[in-house]
Amino acid sequence: MNYSSKRNDKIKLLFIAVILLFVLAGLPKLLLGQYIFVNQTSSAPEGVYIRTWSTEYSYGDYVIIRLAEDIPALHAKKGLFLLKRIAGMPGDTYCVYDDRLELNDIIYPIYRKVGLPSLSSGADKVDNDCYFLLNEKQDSFDSRYFGEIKKSDIVCKVRLLVSFKSIEYFFQSVDDIFDFGGI
């Protein structure tokens, strides 16, 4: 590894440390839920997300929605922010079966559980001004349960600012550099 590469790695670590300091400083509490969103669930990449001002959506974009109703089976209250990935656009065809949903040649398992909403079996198209939100994790609570989401129900589009994995990497790197012996 050359000097320039080591210097770039140190700059990256410094940047992550500054972001981490910002996150821990308390200012985000004022911005939390307006500009900054924290995902601690494994259904989407865990980390700190920042709002973008774009209202143009594409496949793979992450968006924030609010839960439309209480879901006691999940101990989730109406209004809870959910981070979901856009997998279906207006006009896309999907098919619901008892144990799966198929959309754009991808199969998403459906786990029928008491207390969770469910879609009717059959084929359908995503309506105009609606999106299908499906996270990659197989047991994610998403459109395979609550169906398509209207564009007007999307709070905002977000981008991952800092992943919790990068924070873990940062602390591991600090440990390696200063040899703290596995803090």
Side-chain angles (χ1 to χ4, degrees), residues 6-69:
K6 285 182 182 180
R7 185 168 186 267
N8 286 341
D9 286 347
K10 287 181 180 181
I11 289 171
K12 288 177 188 174
L13 286 174
L14 180 61
F15 175 75
I16 291 171
V18 168
I19 295 295
L20 182 61
L21 263 161
F22 175 78
V23 168
L24 297 175
L27 180 60
K29 288 184 179 179
L30 299 173
L31 304 175
L32 206 59
Q34 292 182 21
Y35 304 105
I36 296 174
F37 300 87
V38 177
N39 179 46
Q40 298 175 324
T41 69
S42 61
S43 66
E46 298 174 37
V48 179
Y49 288 77
I50 190 163
R51 176 186 197 136
T52 68
W53 297 106
S54 173
T55 56
E56 297 298 318
Y57 303 114
S58 302
Y59 294 104
D61 286 346
Y62 280 96
V63 296
I64 299 292
I65 62 168
R66 283 189 184 269
L67 193 57
E69 60 185 77

Side-chain angles (χ1 to χ4, degrees), residues 12-153:
K12 288 177 188 174
L13 286 174
L14 180 61
F15 175 75
I16 291 171
V18 168
I19 295 295
L20 182 61
L21 263 161
F22 175 78
V23 168
L24 297 175
L27 180 60
K29 288 184 179 179
L30 299 173
L31 304 175
L32 206 59
Q34 292 182 21
Y35 304 105
I36 296 174
F37 300 87
V38 177
N39 179 46
Q40 298 175 324
T41 69
S42 61
S43 66
E46 298 174 37
V48 179
Y49 288 77
I50 190 163
R51 176 186 197 136
T52 68
W53 297 106
S54 173
T55 56
E56 297 298 318
Y57 303 114
S58 302
Y59 294 104
D61 286 346
Y62 280 96
V63 296
I64 299 292
I65 62 168
R66 283 189 184 269
L67 193 57
E69 60 185 77
D70 288 347
I71 308 293
L74 298 176
H75 307 289
K77 299 283 185 194
K78 178 180 179 177
L80 176 72
F81 287 126
L82 299 175
L83 173 67
K84 301 298 169 191
R85 185 179 59 87
I86 294 179
M89 303 288 283
D92 286 353
T93 300
Y94 62 94
C95 194
V96 179
Y97 301 92
D98 278 344
D99 63 343
R100 69 190 184 283
L101 178 138
E102 293 181 12
L103 172 71
N104 297 326
D105 297 323
I106 299 173
I107 297 172
Y108 299 89
I110 294 176
Y111 300 101
R112 304 286 181 187
K113 295 181 183 175
V114 175
L116 291 184
S118 63
L119 301 177
S120 299
S121 295
D124 205 348
K125 280 190 175 187
V126 179
D127 288 337
N128 288 333
D129 260 3
C130 289
Y131 297 90
F132 232 73
L133 309 178
L134 296 162
N135 286 355
E136 291 178 15
K137 188 163 182 199
Q138 290 188 359
D139 62 350
S140 177
F141 179 67
D142 50 29
S143 285
R144 63 190 113 185
Y145 300 99
F146 53 70
E148 59 191 28
I149 295 293
K150 294 179 185 173
K151 185 175 183 177
S152 61
D153 291 335

